[in-house]
């Protein structure tokens, strides 16, 4: 930390308005098994320091993988030179929201370091799941996947903040592929990815799930095709996790809303004139951002601008009421403070606004999943995530899923296949008329959210209870 403080003090002496230095370690192990063998094990260990400078109204950024003070100072000089250059063509005054000085540490609560455990342990568990999957009738392929991640950061800025964070992440997944009846279908089991220790993985019992997905992959091959037309959908938490990510998370990143970021379907229909007015969803829809959520993938104590992680509403009682906001754009919303969701993937990446942990609040009235199905005469129940697409304004969207069931006379009937649905983002959320209560809330999320150009990956938790959506256009995909 001393070297980082020395760099920010050095830059302070050069009359910068603001500067920060972030040492960033990204350590990841990815294990992929196929059938009963290891397909690959990939290990990444990326360590370096990024330095960001605001000089007058120009930003500069430079980084180095070297650790010595001389190299850090050279990177600081480069960032300063770039900032001075950028200032010459600056289009307006940069107003940086204030943030209290933090001298703090944040560490994921763990019992066992996921990257300290022998690789053979995880390989053994995944292969055992693969053996069970392969016993399934008509199963032709089994896959096991585990990502173990550790992100360590040290941060110092010219305002005196000194922050250390140490985040551990575990993301497991198994998959079965069956071939029968002229079809090939897959089925996944994705336990919630968590910021947690290896004990989380140890505590999972993959065996019964392995048997279940093998049977369901085969059953999917014999499923009847869905009908095209408007339908009632009941969506499970894992499925909703992707829907909210694409149709709420990304369009409410303020940098996208204001046109600062356009890559990867990068603009947004959720413009600021709609704030506190626009009906994003029905009255029962509350979408909450919470980077303080324990075990949440985006929970890291403090972000890469030195801002403390926070909790806020994106949609309250159906109305758009918040965005993910960095320190530079907070004043556009008359906010005194950014909300702590600006991150960089690696030391050489400039921090950008990222989707926070974002979840659909459970229904307030007691309602079980069974009651939700029983209360639905006809419809389709969708589990898991499949293909999706969304336009550049994040408005017109289409989603598939991992598995589909027909709902007939308030009961789950057989599986369906080739189901996709399409809607505009707000028509979809406005069509939500029932959400199961908190007993049925489940987390999901992603560790590969892509944004920026060059692209950076980030991780965030999502969550929901199963929810019902009326009159959604379903189309047969084949
Ligand atoms: Zn994303």
């Amino acid at each position: 930390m001393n070297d980082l403080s020395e760099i920010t003090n050095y830059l302070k002496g050069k009359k910068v308005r603001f500067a920060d230095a972030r040492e960033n370690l990204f350590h990841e192990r990815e294990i992929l098994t196929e059938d009963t063998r290891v397909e690959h094990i990939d290990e990444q260990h990326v360590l370096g320091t990024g330095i960001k400078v605001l000089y007058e109204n120009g930003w500069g950024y430079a980084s180095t993988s070297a650790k010595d003070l001389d190299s850090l100072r050279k990177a600081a000089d480069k960032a300063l030179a770039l900032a001075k250059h950028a200032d010459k063509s600056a289009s307006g005054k940069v107003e940086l929201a204030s943030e209290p000085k933090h001298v703090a540490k944040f560490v994921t609560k763990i019992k066992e370091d996921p990257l300290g455990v022998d690789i053979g342990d995880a390989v053994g568990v995944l292969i055992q799941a693969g053996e069970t999957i392969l016993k399934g009738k008509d199963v032709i392929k089994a896959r096991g996947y585990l990502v173990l991640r550790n992100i360590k950061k040290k941060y110092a800025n010219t305002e005196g903040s000194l922050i250390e964070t140490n985040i551990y992440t575990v993301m497991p997944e198994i998959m079965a592929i069956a071939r029968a009846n002229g079809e090939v279908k897959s089925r996944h089991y994705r336990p919630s990815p968590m910021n947690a220790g290896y004990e989380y993985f140890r505590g999972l019992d993959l065996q019964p799930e392995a048997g279940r997905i093998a049977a369901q992959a085969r059953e999917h091959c014999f499923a009847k095709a869905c009908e095209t037309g408007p339908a009632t959908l009941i969506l499970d938490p894992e499925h909703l996790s992707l829907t909210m990510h694409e149709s709420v998370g990304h369009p409410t990143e303020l940098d996208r809303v204001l046109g600062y970021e356009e890559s990867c379907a990068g603009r947004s229909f959720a413009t600021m004139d709609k704030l506190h007015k626009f009906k994003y969803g029905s009255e029962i829809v509350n979408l909450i951002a919470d980077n303080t959520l324990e075990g949440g993938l985006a929970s890291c104590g403090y972000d890469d601008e030195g801002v403390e992680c926070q909790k806020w509403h994106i949609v309250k009682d159906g109305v758009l009421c918040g965005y993910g906001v960095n320190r530079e754009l907070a004043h556009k919303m008359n906010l005194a403070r950014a909300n702590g969701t600006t991150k960089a993937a690696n030391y050489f990446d400039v921090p950008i606004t990222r989707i926070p942990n974002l979840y659909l609040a459970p229904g307030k009235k007691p309602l079980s999943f069974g009651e939700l199905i029983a209360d639905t005469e006809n419809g389709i129940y969708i589990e898991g995530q499949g293909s999706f697409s969304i336009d550049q304004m994040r408005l017109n969207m289409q989603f598939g899923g991992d598995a589909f069931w027909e709902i007939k006379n308030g009961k789950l009937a057989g599986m369906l296949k080739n189901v996709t649905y399409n809607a505009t983002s707000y028509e979809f959320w406005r069509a939500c008329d029932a959400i199961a209560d908190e007993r049925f809330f489940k987390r999901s999320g992603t560790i590969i959210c892509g944004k920026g150009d060059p692209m950076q990956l980030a991780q965030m938790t999502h969550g929901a209870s199963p929810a019902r959506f009326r009159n959604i256009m379903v189309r047969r995909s084949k």
Side-chain angles (χ1 to χ4, degrees):
M1 286 302 262
N2 287 347
D3 283 359
L4 297 184
S5 302
E6 195 152 333
I7 290 303
T8 51
N9 286 334
Y10 169 72
L11 285 163
K12 219 171 177 176
K14 302 271 182 186
K15 306 271 182 282
V16 301
R17 277 178 63 195
F18 175 84
D20 61 20
R22 169 179 44 89
E23 186 186 283
N24 197 117
L25 167 71
F26 179 88
H27 185 188
E28 181 181 274
R29 182 176 300 154
E30 180 187 83
I31 303 168
L32 177 65
T33 60
E34 200 161 279
D35 296 339
T36 55
R37 64 186 172 80
V38 174
E39 206 284 333
H40 77 243
I41 295 173
D42 182 50
E43 187 120 358
Q44 281 189 64
H45 196 276
V46 187
L47 173 64
T49 302
I51 297 164
K52 195 173 67 180
V53 171
L54 176 64
Y55 183 85
E56 297 296 339
N57 294 298
W59 286 104
Y61 189 82
S63 64
T64 175
S65 59
K67 285 198 84 175
D68 62 284
L69 197 53
D70 256 9
S71 302
L72 292 174
R73 207 172 276 135
K74 271 183 198 151
D77 286 338
K78 192 173 173 187
L80 177 60
L82 288 166
K84 285 181 174 173
H85 194 69
D87 177 52
K88 287 180 194 156
S89 56
S91 54
K93 187 164 169 49
V94 172
E95 292 180 42
L96 211 56
S98 64
E99 176 66 19
K101 170 180 150 180
H102 302 289
V103 178
K105 265 189 188 180
F106 181 92
V107 182
T108 307
K109 286 181 193 158
I110 62 163
K111 288 193 180 122
E112 220 175 341
D113 177 355
L115 289 142
V117 177
D118 186 80
I119 293 173
D121 185 88
V123 167
V125 173
L126 296 176
I127 283 181
Q128 203 183 14
E131 284 167 353
T132 303
I133 289 169
L134 290 171
K135 283 181 193 150
K137 195 176 175 194
D138 294 325
V139 167
I140 56 168
K141 184 70 68 189
R143 278 204 187 120
Y145 187 54
L146 180 66
V147 176
L148 306 169
R149 198 178 264 181
N150 177 214
I151 299 173
K152 279 194 180 96
K153 297 187 184 187
K154 291 178 184 168
Y155 175 92
N157 68 22
T158 45
E159 295 161 343
S161 281
L162 290 170
I163 299 164
E164 276 186 70
T165 61
N166 191 2
I167 307 301
Y168 294 92
T169 303
V170 177
M171 199 227 64
E173 177 182 305
I174 53 173
M175 180 181 74
I177 301 178
R179 181 171 58 207
N181 193 33
E183 293 273 10
V184 175
K185 295 289 183 190
S186 62
R187 182 75 173 117
H188 298 80
Y189 171 58
R190 295 185 175 113
S192 168
M194 293 284 286
N195 276 1
Y198 194 75
E199 65 278 5
Y200 172 63
F201 182 67
R202 284 195 198 281
L204 297 171
D205 187 2
L206 297 180
Q207 288 302 320
E209 307 295 344
R212 175 179 63 81
I213 62 171
Q216 288 181 343
R218 180 178 185 272
E219 194 184 341
H220 201 167
C221 294
F222 292 93
K224 70 173 186 180
C226 71
E227 297 298 326
T228 289
T232 297
L233 302 181
I234 294 180
L235 305 175
D236 91 320
E238 189 190 328
H239 180 92
L240 278 168
S241 154
L242 181 62
T243 318
M244 76 179 71
H245 182 93
E246 304 300 341
S247 70
V248 182
H250 280 307
T252 58
E253 293 164 326
L254 193 63
D255 56 345
R256 288 196 141 131
V257 171
L258 297 175
Y260 287 77
E261 173 62 46
E262 295 196 18
S263 292
C264 308
R267 294 296 295 266
S268 171
F269 74 95
T271 45
M272 280 192 55
D273 55 308
K274 298 185 175 79
L275 192 63
H276 302 303
K277 293 179 220 154
F278 183 68
K279 204 177 156 202
Y280 213 114
S282 66
E283 282 175 9
I284 61 168
V285 171
N286 284 285
L287 289 147
I288 296 166
D290 187 2
N291 279 354
T292 68
L293 186 71
E294 191 169 334
L297 297 172
S299 302
C300 54
Y302 303 85
D303 75 358
D304 292 342
E305 292 190 309
V307 178
E308 193 174 15
C309 288
Q310 296 159 43
K311 180 178 180 179
W312 70 100
H313 270 87
I314 299 281
V315 173
K316 191 168 193 319
D317 301 329
V319 177
L320 172 68
C321 65
Y323 294 105
V325 185
N326 67 19
R327 291 183 69 175
E328 188 178 349
L329 298 179
H331 73 98
K332 302 263 185 192
M333 286 180 65
N334 296 319
L335 291 177
R337 193 183 185 199
N339 45 29
T341 196
T342 301
K343 314 257 177 81
N346 273 301
Y347 73 90
F348 44 79
D349 292 315
V350 179
I352 51 176
T353 304
R354 304 304 313 228
I355 300 176
N357 298 318
L358 173 71
Y359 62 88
L360 176 68
K364 287 172 186 152
K365 294 179 197 156
L367 179 68
S368 70
F369 173 64
E371 287 163 342
L372 184 58
I373 296 286
D375 185 51
T376 306
E377 197 176 348
N378 294 304
I380 300 171
Y381 170 56
I382 304 180
E383 278 189 5
Q385 302 174 3
S387 67
F388 75 95
S389 75
I390 194 156
D391 69 25
Q392 71 281 4
M393 299 305 284
R394 301 245 159 214
L395 185 57
N396 298 287
M397 60 189 204
Q398 175 175 297
F399 287 87
D402 195 50
F404 318 92
W405 285 264
E406 188 175 17
I407 304 167
K408 231 176 170 178
N409 301 320
K411 289 196 173 75
L412 284 180
M415 282 183 95
L416 292 172
K417 66 180 177 183
N418 306 334
V419 179
T420 63
Y421 66 88
N422 61 287
T424 61
S425 297
Y426 60 83
E427 279 170 2
F428 173 79
W429 291 104
R430 286 177 189 175
C432 180
D433 80 333
I435 306 171
D437 66 50
E438 61 188 0
R439 291 170 297 162
F440 300 88
F441 185 89
K442 275 191 195 156
R443 290 185 187 195
S444 184
T446 179
I447 61 163
I448 50 162
C449 168
K451 182 178 173 185
D453 196 355
M455 188 188 278
Q456 300 184 36
L457 297 181
Q459 57 185 55
M460 61 286 295
T461 287
H462 299 304
S465 297
R468 184 171 63 194
F469 298 79
R470 296 286 196 186
N471 207 27
I472 302 293
M473 189 63 197
V474 168
R475 291 180 199 276
R476 188 185 293 183
S477 63
K478 190 175 157 191

